[in-house]
Amino acid sequence: MSTLEDRIGAAKAEGRAALIGYLPVGYPDVDASIAAMVAIVEAGADAIEIGVPYSDPGIDGPVIQEAVDVAVRAGVGMRDVLHAVEAVSAAGAAAVVMSYWNPIERYGVDRFATDLAAAGGAGAITPDLIPDEAGEWIAASERADLDRVFLVAPSSTDARLRSTAAASRGFVYVASTMGVTGARATVSDAAQTLVARTREARPDIPLCVGLGVSNGAQAAELAAFADGVIVGSAYVRAMLDGRGPDGVRALTEDLAAGVRRAGVRA
Amino acid sequence: MTTTSPPQPGELSLPARPSWPDATGHFGIFGGRFVPEALIAALDELTEAYEAMRVDPAFLDEFARLQRDYTGRPSPVTEVPKFAEHCGGARVLLKREDLNHTGSHKINNVLGQALLTKRIGKTRVIAETGAGQHGVATATAAALMGLSCTVYMGEEDTRRQALNVARMRLLGAEVVPVTTGSRTLKDAINEAFRDWVTNVETTNYVFGTVAGPHPFPAMVRDFQRVIGDEARGQVLEREGRLPDAVLACVGGGSNAIGIFTAFVPDGGVRLIGLEAGGDGVDTPRHAATITGGTPGVLHGARSYLLQDDNGQTIESHSISAGLDYPGVGPEHSYLHDIGRAEYRPITDAEAMEAFALLCRTEGIIPAIESAHALAGAMKLGREVDPGALLLVNLSGRGDKDVETASRWFGLGDREQVAPGPGMDTDQQPTEGAVSNHEAVAGQDAGERA
C-alpha cells in the first residue's frame, strides 16, 4: 500500500491537488526545522519532503544550499532526519525523505529502509539516483513497503519516461524546468507538456510538479493539471529570512488556497 | 599487443581498449551515473556521439593533426640521471607532458572533447578547474575552435593560481570564482554541473578528469591514453624492454590513467599512483582518496572518496591545487581493488623536496602535482633492485607554481611576498621542508630559513 498515493488520492477526492512542502532538517537547527515542518502540516500541507543535508547538493540552487550548508556544518545526520520523520507523521502528514544518494548509501540502504519504515516514513525521493542505478534501493524499499520517487525532466525521452515511471511508487516527481531548484517568476509551460507525456507513459500513478513554485497563484496554475504541487525554495527562503513557523504557516495558507482554487482536474 | 603494432593499411590505428567499463559505464562496482535525470539525455547524446566519433577516420585524422601540429606530440622521454642519484640505484625516465602546448597533459583531452562539442552542434563549453591547467587548456581549445567558454574555479584556487586565471581571461574565457562549500575544485564541479543542467541545449561540459558520470571516465581515458601509448613505444625503442614501474600523481587521475592504460596488460610492470598526502594521511589534512577513503558516490559516480559517517564529503587538503580533490576516478578505484595498481600517499613536504631536486639537478621546474610522482620515484627507487627502470609521468610544468614554491622555500623578499588571504599557514615552510631545502640548496637557503 502506498502512503503517498493514498494521500494524493484523498486530496483528489476533495477536488484539489495535494500540497507537498520541502524543508531540510537542521536549519537553523534540528528542533526549529522540525517545528517549522509541523507548522506547515498544521496549515494544510498533505506531505513534507524532509531534506537530508548533503555537502554537495548538485541540483540545488543557492537558497537551499545556504540552509543545507549550515546543517552539514552542524553535523546533522540521518538520526535527526528520522526524528523529523516521526514528528511529521505524528502531525498527520505523509513524511517522505528527500536525499542525495550518498548519505543513504553511507547509512546502509537496507538499514535506511528499515529505520525509515519504523519511524513511520512513507518513502524517499532520490534526486541523483536514476532507476538504472537503483537496484539495491528498489529491493530494499519493496521489502520495507516504502514509496520510491524518481524524477523525470523535460529532456527525458519517452522510453525513459516509461521506465522511470514504471520504477516509481507513490508518485513521479515532475521536475518541470531544466535547471536547479529556486523560486521562479513564471512556472514553465514545459510543466504541462511534461505532465501530459508522463501521464501517457504511465496513467496510474500520481504526478507531482516541482521546481520554481513560490506562491498560491503559481500553485493554482499547476494544480489545474498536476496531482500535486511541490514547494521547496520558497519555504527555505522563509526560514533564511527568519520568518520561522509563522512565516511558513502563512506561506502554506496561500499555497493551500492555491491548490484548491484550480478546481477538479479534468 | 595492438598498442605497438603499426596500423595496417585501411585499418584504424585504434589501440585495444580495456574490457572495462561495461556498456553502462561500470568498472566493477565503481563508476555509473549518479546524476539528475535532467542530465541523462545529454550524457546519452555525448556517449553516442563519442562512440561514433572515436572510430570515424575523419575525426581521428583531425585529432592526430591537432596533437602533432598544435600540442606538439609526441612528447619526448627524458632520462634524468642526476635526479636519479637520489632514487636509490634506479634509473628514471620522464614522460614530458610538461612540454605540451599549455603546459600539461590536460590539452590531450580537451582537444578531443572540443571536437566532440562541435560535432554535436553545441556552441558553448564549460569546465571546472583546480590548478587552472584544465581551465587554461579548455579556454585554449575554445579559442582555437570558436566556442564560448566559461570556467568554474574555487575562489580559494583563483588565489593560489592567479597566473592561470589571467591566462584563461587572456584566452577569452569567463572565469567564475566559486564561493560555495570549500571554495575549491569539488565545489567548482558542483557549479559546473548546475550550469550544465540549466544550459544543456547549447552547452557541453568539458570534464577535466577521469571522474564524473559515464561516459566521462572512459572518454577522458581514451583521449589521455596517448601518453602511455607513446611512452611504451619510446621506452621499448630506447631500452629494448618495458619499465619496471610506471608512476604518476593522482588527483582525479587523468594523467595517471593516461600513462597506465597502455601498460595494464603488461603484468610485470608495476603501476603506482601517488596521492596527495598533504600534512600526512594520519592527519585530517590530506587528499589521499584511495589510501584514506571509502567507497561512496560523489560527482556522478561511485568511487573511493573522503567522507564522514553521515556521507558528507570531507574537505581535502594539498599544497597542490590540482590534487586537492576528495574524490578519484572510478577506474583507479577498480584498478586498486583488483590489485593491478598501487596507490601511495606523498606529503606536501616530500613533494616539495622532489620539486626542488628536479629544478636543481635537471633544470626542469615541474608542476607541484607532478612532483608527487617524482617523490614516489625517490621512495620506490630505494625499495627496488639497483638498475630498476622507473617511468614517471611529468604531467605538467611548474610555471604556475612559482609563487607557492617561493613561499614554501622562503625565497624572495618576504615582505613583498606576504601570504595572501588564500594562503594559510600550511604553505609556510615546515621544519622538514627547511632541512630538505638546505640539503638541496645549501647555504643560500640556510640564510633565508
Side-chain angles (χ1 to χ4, degrees):
Chain A
M1 182 208 81
S2 161
T3 306
L4 287 166
E5 218 167 305
D6 279 3
R7 286 302 178 122
I8 296 164
K12 194 173 183 177
E14 291 175 18
R16 64 178 178 90
L19 175 62
I20 302 169
Y22 161 92
L23 275 182
V25 179
Y27 184 87
D29 58 48
V30 172
D31 289 345
S33 64
I34 292 176
M37 290 176 197
V38 169
I40 296 171
V41 175
E42 289 168 355
D46 301 284
I48 301 291
E49 267 183 34
I50 298 170
V52 178
Y54 180 50
S55 53
D56 295 272
I59 200 181
D60 284 311
V63 169
I64 290 178
Q65 174 145 26
E66 186 181 341
V68 161
D69 278 351
V70 170
V72 168
R73 277 198 297 275
V76 174
M78 207 58 90
R79 218 179 303 276
D80 304 305
V81 170
L82 293 168
H83 285 315
V85 168
E86 287 168 1
V88 165
S89 300
V96 56
V97 168
M98 168 78 137
S99 183
Y100 288 88
W101 186 241
N102 198 52
I104 294 177
E105 185 161 299
R106 184 68 169 160
Y107 189 80
V109 179
D110 268 321
R111 180 182 170 216
F112 171 74
T114 304
D115 292 358
L116 178 57
I125 303 168
T126 51
D128 62 345
L129 185 72
I130 56 174
D132 320 48
E133 300 282 357
E136 199 182 353
W137 167 234
I138 290 171
S141 54
E142 281 298 316
R143 260 194 306 277
D145 195 24
L146 290 170
D147 289 336
R148 51 177 179 273
V149 176
F150 295 109
L151 279 67
V152 293
S155 60
S156 303
T157 60
D158 289 343
R160 285 200 66 81
L161 290 181
R162 278 193 297 278
S163 59
T164 303
S168 302
R169 201 190 105 160
F171 68 86
V172 176
Y173 192 124
V174 178
S176 59
T177 49
M178 296 294 285
V180 297
T181 55
R184 287 173 172 80
T186 56
V187 179
S188 164
D189 288 346
Q192 190 162 3
T193 310
L194 183 56
V195 165
R197 288 178 60 215
T198 310
R199 190 157 276 133
E200 197 165 317
R202 185 175 167 192
D204 67 337
I205 190 167
L207 307 179
C208 300
V209 178
L211 294 193
V213 183
S214 61
N215 59 47
Q218 289 173 330
E221 207 182 306
L222 293 182
F225 57 85
D227 302 306
V229 177
I230 302 167
V231 180
S233 295
Y235 278 118
V236 179
R237 181 79 264 164
M239 296 299 285
L240 289 174
D241 292 348
R243 284 180 267 150
D246 289 340
V248 297
R249 194 173 281 118
L251 176 59
T252 306
E253 284 162 4
D254 180 33
L255 293 164
V259 296
R260 281 168 176 81
R261 253 199 317 277
V264 192
R265 181 169 54 77
Chain B
M1 85 165 254
T2 49
T3 49
T4 53
S5 55
Q8 300 305 305
E11 182 186 293
L12 295 172
S13 57
L14 281 179
R17 255 177 165 183
S19 60
W20 52 79
D22 65 15
T24 50
H26 296 90
F27 303 81
I29 64 164
F30 300 107
R33 280 183 180 171
F34 293 83
V35 293
E37 169 66 21
L39 285 178
I40 296 296
L43 292 169
D44 279 344
E45 176 190 34
L46 209 51
T47 306
E48 198 179 316
Y50 171 62
E51 290 299 327
M53 193 177 83
R54 66 179 284 276
V55 294
D56 175 354
F59 160 72
L60 292 171
D61 280 353
E62 174 71 355
F63 191 42
R65 186 189 67 76
L66 284 169
Q67 288 186 327
R68 185 188 65 229
D69 299 346
Y70 193 71
T71 306
R73 302 207 73 87
S75 64
V77 165
T78 306
E79 178 154 19
V80 284
K82 285 190 286 173
F83 176 80
E85 285 171 14
H86 302 264
C87 302
R91 291 174 59 207
V92 177
L93 303 176
L94 303 182
K95 177 61 173 168
R96 301 294 304 280
E97 293 298 299
D98 61 316
L99 296 178
N100 293 340
H101 178 47
T102 73
S104 81
H105 70 292
K106 293 291 187 188
I107 191 78
N108 303 330
N109 165 47
V110 154
L111 289 175
Q113 290 203 51
L115 287 174
L116 184 58
T117 303
K118 293 192 76 167
R119 187 180 177 112
I120 58 180
K122 294 185 178 178
T123 54
R124 174 174 180 261
V125 289
I126 55 172
E128 83 294 343
T129 199
Q133 295 299 85
H134 174 60
V136 167
T138 306
T140 299
L144 177 68
M145 299 190 196
L147 301 164
S148 85
C149 178
T150 301
V151 178
Y152 291 91
M153 187 170 189
E155 190 184 47
E156 175 84 15
D157 293 332
T158 63
R159 292 186 183 130
R160 285 196 278 198
Q161 305 289 344
L163 174 68
N164 275 343
V165 173
R167 290 169 80 195
M168 289 184 269
R169 289 181 172 148
L170 286 171
L171 290 160
E174 178 194 12
V175 180
V176 180
V178 174
T179 57
T180 52
S182 62
R183 306 179 179 213
T184 60
L185 178 57
K186 106 180 159 63
D187 307 285
I189 293 174
N190 291 335
E191 283 305 319
F193 272 117
R194 290 180 180 126
D195 181 316
W196 201 28
V197 77
T198 308
N199 300 300
V200 69
E201 280 184 24
T202 60
T203 298
N204 189 29
Y205 186 1
V206 176
F207 205 72
T209 190
V210 289
H214 179 64
F216 289 116
M219 179 169 70
V220 176
R221 173 193 69 195
D222 291 353
F223 289 141
Q224 289 292 1
R225 65 167 299 161
V226 65
I227 303 170
D229 288 337
E230 283 178 8
R232 190 176 182 281
Q234 287 164 317
V235 174
L236 275 175
E237 189 179 326
R238 59 178 287 153
E239 304 293 334
R241 69 176 183 104
L242 292 170
D244 295 293
V246 178
L247 299 98
C249 64
V250 177
S254 70
N255 90 85
I257 285 292
I259 198 163
F260 285 175
T261 298
F263 294 97
V264 164
D266 302 318
V269 179
R270 289 173 69 181
L271 305 178
I272 302 177
L274 288 312
E275 301 194 300
D279 291 350
V281 290
D282 51 348
T283 76
R285 293 170 56 76
H286 66 82
T289 308
I290 293 179
T291 308
T294 47
V297 168
L298 176 65
H299 293 148
R302 182 178 288 116
S303 195
Y304 280 84
L305 67 111
L306 301 178
Q307 59 178 328
D308 69 13
D309 291 342
N310 289 327
Q312 313 295 354
T313 311
I314 295 174
E315 290 178 18
S316 56
H317 162 78
S318 170
I319 188 171
S320 147
L323 304 183
D324 197 351
Y325 180 56
V328 66
E331 189 166 3
H332 285 294
S333 295
Y334 181 66
L335 292 173
H336 170 265
D337 277 15
I338 65 170
R340 181 61 192 96
E342 308 158 50
Y343 296 85
R344 301 174 163 200
I346 294 293
T347 63
D348 287 354
E350 290 167 336
M352 294 312 289
E353 181 190 354
F355 176 96
L357 197 57
L358 193 73
C359 293
R360 298 294 179 115
T361 58
E362 301 286 351
I364 299 171
I365 301 178
I368 295 176
E369 289 78 10
S370 317
H372 287 70
L374 294 166
M378 291 170 68
K379 287 182 150 182
L380 182 69
R382 296 177 194 125
E383 301 167 16
V384 295
D385 293 339
L389 191 59
L390 310 184
L391 174 65
V392 177
N393 196 13
L394 197 71
S395 54
R397 62 178 174 243
D399 305 36
K400 68 188 175 57
D401 295 318
V402 164
E403 195 181 328
T404 302
S406 297
R407 208 180 305 277
W408 178 274
F409 293 114
L411 305 176
D413 185 336
R414 283 210 163 245
E415 286 180 358
Q416 284 180 7
V417 195
M423 295 290 185
D424 48 21
T425 50
D426 60 55
Q427 304 206 359
Q428 298 304 308
T430 63
E431 280 188 21
V434 172
S435 64
N436 289 337
H437 176 235
E438 283 168 345
V440 173
Q443 189 61 34
D444 233 351
E447 286 173 16
R448 303 271 183 194

